Structure formats: C-alpha cells, structure tokens
C-alpha cells in the first residue's frame, strides 16, 4: 500500500502554529509513513498583506494593540458562534492551487481557517481534514462541519466542544504536540555542569517569546539579579535589541545567562526551578512536558489570557497581571518548596504524554482503514 500524502496547513501569526506544524512534519519524516509538506496559504496568497497582518498581530502586545486585539478576538467569537460562519474564506484560491499541486490524501490544520471548509463545499471533494488546536481555550473559528477529528489539549476543551454540538467521537484529548526532545529524559545535574551553573542555586528561566516582545523583561532582570540565591536564564527570542541591551548591562560576574532564539528549550526547562513567560500555547505545553512551575506575565486579551486563566484555575501557574508583582511572587514561590511541589503535581494532571505520536498514529490508522474499506 502506498504512503499517503499529508498536507499540513499553518500560519505565522505568533510562533505556535508554525512550531506545531513543523513538529508534526518532523515526526512524520522520522517514521517515514507518509509524504508530507507544510504550507502557509496566507503567506502564499499575499506575502505583503501577510507580513502586514503579522506585524499587526505583534502590535497586540502593546497597550493600544491589546484593546484592538481584544475587540477582534471576542467579537469574531460572538459572530461565528451566532451565525456559525467565518467572515470569509480567505486563501481559498491559493488552497485550490496547493491541493492541485500537492494532491493530498489528508489535510491537517494547525491554524483556524475556513478555506478548507469552503473548498469542500465549493468543489465537493471530500479530502479528510483534521484539526490540531494549539491553545488551552476554545475559539469558534476552529469549528467546521467537515472536520473529521479535533485533537485538543485537555478534557475541559473536549467538554466545551461537546457542549456546542461536536460529536464526542470526533474529539481526542491528546495534548499539544511538542518536539521530541521534550519527551526525552534529561539529567538536570549533567545539564547544570554543561552550562556551568551552580547546582545549589535555584534557577529562574525567563522566556520573552519567539519575537521577544515582552517589555517587562528588563525590569524583571534588574530586580531578580539582586537576589544572590538565584541564577537567571533569559531567552530573548528574535529580539536582538533586547539581547544586546541586557548583554551590555549584565557582563561577567552577574548571575544572568543570556540566549537569543533557542532550539534547546528542553534543556533550559530541565534546569529551571520555575519559568516566567507569556501564556502562549506552545511554551505552556513545553513547561507541562518538563513539569516546570509557571509564573505568567500579563497576558494579551484573547487566547493568551484564556490560556492563563486555565492554568490559574488548575493550580499550575501564578498569573501576575501587573509587572510589579512578578518578582515578588516569583521569589515567594521559590522559597516555598511545598507550593512548588503542589504546582508540579497540578502540571502532571494536565500533561498528556506522546501527543505528536498519538495524533499521527490516529490520522494514519484512520486513512489506512478507510483505504482498506474502499477496496473491499
């Protein structure tokens, strides 16, 4: 039996959708059970518009941008919920060309888009489509009638989908896919030696996000570095300016280690006693995989805030709405080993192991079963 062709659709609004798409892509290649490609139909439809809207998304982290993004996120949620439609199937013509070019047997969505649904209705071609949701909250843009199956982070999300009429058999609680390195067992002591860190000190990992948009990072570093009982790892992402500003300020002799964009997040999380981060779906999933208590920076309204509230409700994170609270709450947490253990226990309850493997196995099993049925 020939290998199926899998088309993974993604978008570069934030880094999470891309990360999930490439995690799935790499795992498909590892097992060599399918021919697979990743396409960003928004970028291919109009590169300039895509870049402009991507920059607009990054503006949502600013004070004025937060208001506009809140308005967009929650108003679009209500429109879709009431009318059961998306505003328009942007990217449909590009998707049509991509499908003609790729000839996929299976489509996997890692970003909510109505283009696939519209393609099915317009052409009457029923290519099995699956959706991997990349946050811990529900936006109705993900929900489309033709989706074969939804892969979600938690039982709570499954219940929400069932409550709005999605068949429970079409929902699998798998967790959010993270890279293979997050599933490997790593030795903390070995890594502390590798990075020349002090094993007797507690380690705070600060993650500014892929694009390093957290302006509070400099203030947090300034206050935390005064605590001689801590060592601090700072990931600046793609924000070169933030990296160089911190590098200039904290040179030899300080208890701060700086990184740009990293591919060794699994190692950094293994060494961390806690992580300070924005509540993006992927960094939260990585912290869950490595069982690292989370201190959340003030979240952008929308999926970030909803993610933060989920982790707060489940006792798996501290959520500090005001930047001034971060350092005080972090230091209190690090002095309370019982509280750290309790948060670790809460993270373990959220964790669903082997998300990537489970999703790939389920999709391919479904494909091969349908192919077998069709030949009999």
């Amino acid at each position: 039996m020939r290998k199926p062709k899998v088309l993974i659709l993604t978008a570069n609004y934030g880094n999470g959708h891309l990360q999930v798409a490439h995690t799935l892509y790499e795992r498909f290649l590892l097992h060599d059970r399918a021919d697979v490609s990743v396409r960003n139909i928004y970028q291919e439809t109009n590169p300039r518009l895509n870049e402009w809207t991507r920059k607009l998304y990054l503006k949502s982290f600013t004070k004025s941008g937060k208001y506009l993004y809140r308005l967009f996120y929650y108003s679009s949620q209500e429109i879709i919920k009431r009318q059961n439609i998306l505003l328009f199937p942007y990217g449909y013509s590009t998707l049509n060309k991509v499908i003609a070019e790729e000839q996929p047997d299976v489509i996997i969505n890692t970003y909510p888009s109505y283009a696939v649904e519209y393609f099915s209705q317009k052409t009457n071609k029923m290519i099995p489509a699956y959706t991997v949701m990349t946050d811990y909250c529900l936006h109705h843009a993900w929900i489309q009638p033709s989706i074969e199956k939804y892969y979600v982070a938690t039982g709570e999300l499954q219940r929400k989908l069932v409550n709005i009429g999605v068949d429970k058999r079409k929902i699998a609680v798998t967790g959010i896919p993270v890279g293979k390195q997050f599933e490997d067992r790593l030795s903390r002591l070995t890594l502390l030696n590798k990075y020349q860190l002090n094993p007797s000190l507690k380690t705070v990992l600060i993650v500014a996000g892929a694009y390093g948009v957290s302006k509070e990072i400099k203030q947090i570093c300034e206050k935390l570095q005064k605590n001689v009982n801590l060592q601090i790892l700072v990931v600046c992402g793609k924000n070169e300016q933030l990296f160089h500003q911190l590098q200039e300020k904290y040179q030899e002799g300080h208890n701060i280690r700086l990184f740009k964009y990293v591919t060794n997040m699994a190692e950094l999380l293994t060494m961390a006693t806690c992580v300070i981060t924005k509540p993006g779906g992927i960094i939260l999933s990585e912290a869950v995989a490595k069982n690292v208590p989370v201190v959340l920076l003030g979240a952008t309204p929308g999926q970030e805030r909803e993610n933060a509230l989920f982790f707060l409700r489940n006792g798996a994170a501290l959520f500090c709405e005001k930047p001034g609270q971060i350092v005080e709450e972090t230091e209190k947490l690090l002095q309370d080993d019982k509280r750290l253990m309790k948060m670790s226990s809460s993270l373990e309850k959220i964790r669903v192991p082997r998300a990537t493997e489970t999703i790939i196995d389920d999709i391919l099993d479904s494909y091969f079963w349908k192919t077998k049925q069709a030949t009999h």
Side-chain angles (χ1 to χ4, degrees), residues 91-115:
Y92 161 71
S93 58
T94 302
L95 177 64
N96 213 348
K97 292 174 187 174
V98 167
I99 288 174
E101 180 185 328
E102 300 281 358
Q103 293 291 305
D105 299 299
V106 168
I107 294 173
I108 302 175
N109 298 302
T110 66
Y111 184 79
S113 163
Y114 194 58

Side-chain angles (χ1 to χ4, degrees), residues 3-119:
K3 290 190 291 188
K5 180 62 186 283
V6 177
L7 172 61
I8 302 174
L9 299 178
T10 192
N12 58 343
Y13 298 104
N15 206 47
H17 308 291
L18 286 172
Q19 278 187 259
V20 167
H22 286 289
T23 294
L24 291 166
Y25 173 80
E26 287 168 6
R27 204 67 63 90
F28 270 117
L29 291 186
L30 182 66
H31 295 302
D32 194 29
R33 294 174 64 196
D35 292 322
V36 59
S37 59
V38 177
R39 303 289 287 264
N40 179 347
I41 58 171
Y42 294 126
Q43 190 170 39
E44 293 184 39
T45 299
N46 190 327
R48 286 186 179 180
L49 179 62
N50 181 77
E51 183 60 19
W52 181 79
T53 53
R54 190 186 70 83
K55 287 179 178 177
L56 199 63
Y57 168 77
L58 292 177
K59 290 281 187 185
S60 70
F61 295 96
T62 65
K63 191 172 182 180
S64 58
K66 284 182 179 181
Y67 171 78
L68 293 173
Y69 191 75
R70 180 196 295 120
L71 188 66
F72 165 77
Y73 183 90
Y74 292 107
S75 61
S76 63
Q77 170 86 306
E78 286 305 310
I79 290 168
I80 298 162
K81 193 189 298 183
R82 290 174 187 174
Q83 300 181 20
N84 199 30
I85 58 167
L86 279 183
L87 298 181
F88 53 90
Y90 181 70
Y92 161 71
S93 58
T94 302
L95 177 64
N96 213 348
K97 292 174 187 174
V98 167
I99 288 174
E101 180 185 328
E102 300 281 358
Q103 293 291 305
D105 299 299
V106 168
I107 294 173
I108 302 175
N109 298 302
T110 66
Y111 184 79
S113 163
Y114 194 58
V116 176
E117 180 70 29
Y118 191 74
F119 173 85

